[in-house]
Amino acid sequence: MYSDVIRDEKGKTLLQIARLSIARALKVDDLETESVDTTGKWLSEPGATFITLTQYDRLRGCIGSLQMHQTLLENVRNNAVSAALHDNRFLPVTAEELDSIRVEVSVLSALQPMAFSSEADALAQLRPGIDGVMFEWGVYRSTFLPQVWESLPQPRDFLAQLKLKAGLNADFWNDTIHLSRYTVQKWRETDYREEKSNG
């Protein structure tokens, strides 16, 4: 229970950091997050994150890192701003939209390369709802967070869409494909807002 409380507090802090970073980039005053404490030692440890933005339950931006090449604090700040302003699938978020944007922070574990003998073997090893997957073949790369299993619950469909995202055909396969998996801890603003309104 104690560890759940710590995890919960860390999640609130990461969400506040992400929102404040976006607000500052848009030159918006955000009184709720102005006093966020960023002095915790855990924030200075290496971290890899994805920041997902939604608006009215639709994706509005998602940018992340698979490698731990920055501190957790720097990575959340940078990815939050990139998700809001530099996801080329969407127009940049505007200051007027910020109140309607909901933030989700996912902290990734280290990548674990998968060993498999065939596509069927790879599919059999995937853990729906648990694994995030990175696909690599030559210059082609893509990844799906574990959250994507919610809309693609079947491993075959999950991997097919991952190949399409990389720019390949859904039925493409080659013995030199590399797959790696990872897990995430995630926190969503909507969870905390619901708690606040219920309290």
Side-chain angles (χ1 to χ4, degrees), residues 1-145:
M1 184 70 174
Y2 181 64
S3 61
D4 287 343
V5 172
I6 293 174
R7 180 188 179 281
D8 205 44
E9 287 305 310
K10 285 184 175 181
K12 285 181 181 177
T13 298
L14 293 173
L15 288 167
Q16 288 175 329
I17 291 167
R19 177 166 286 277
L20 181 57
S21 300
I22 296 169
R24 284 179 172 165
L26 295 174
K27 297 180 171 52
V28 174
D29 291 328
D30 193 325
L31 298 177
E32 269 192 51
T33 55
E34 269 185 1
S35 60
V36 59
D37 181 8
T38 58
T39 60
K41 185 181 176 185
W42 60 280
L43 287 168
S44 64
E45 295 172 357
T49 66
F50 267 75
I51 306 298
T52 303
L53 307 179
T54 56
Q55 185 180 42
Y56 310 123
D57 295 324
R58 295 189 175 203
L59 185 65
R60 187 63 179 82
C62 183
I63 296 285
S65 311
L66 291 166
Q67 303 292 343
M68 299 181 189
H69 61 277
Q70 295 175 315
T71 67
L72 183 58
L73 176 60
E74 291 173 322
N75 200 249
V76 169
R77 282 175 170 166
N78 292 338
N79 287 338
V81 173
S82 292
L85 302 181
H86 305 301
D87 185 334
N88 57 22
R89 296 170 295 177
F90 304 95
L91 291 171
V93 171
T94 64
E96 291 72 26
E97 288 181 281
L98 190 55
D99 281 346
S100 64
I101 296 291
R102 298 294 171 259
V103 180
E104 179 177 315
V105 176
S106 299
V107 178
L108 280 59
S109 69
L111 289 171
Q112 294 183 321
M114 294 176 61
F116 45 87
S117 58
S118 64
E119 183 174 18
D121 185 20
L123 290 170
Q125 293 183 45
L126 292 178
R127 299 172 297 177
I130 298 173
D131 290 332
V133 180
M134 183 171 77
F135 173 96
E136 296 176 282
W137 184 70
V139 298
Y140 299 92
R141 290 181 52 154
S142 61
T143 191
F144 277 153
L145 295 172

Side-chain angles (χ1 to χ4, degrees), residues 119 123 135 156-157 159-165 167-175 177:
E119 183 174 18
L123 290 170
F135 173 96
R156 185 168 295 281
D157 295 335
L159 187 56
Q161 290 300 316
L162 195 55
K163 288 184 277 188
L164 287 171
K165 185 180 178 184
L168 298 164
N169 291 328
D171 60 355
F172 175 82
W173 187 255
N174 187 285
D175 289 341
I177 284 172

Side-chain angles (χ1 to χ4, degrees), residues 143-157:
T143 191
F144 277 153
L145 295 172
Q147 293 91 305
V148 175
W149 288 105
E150 294 171 15
S151 54
L152 295 169
Q154 299 302 318
R156 185 168 295 281
D157 295 335

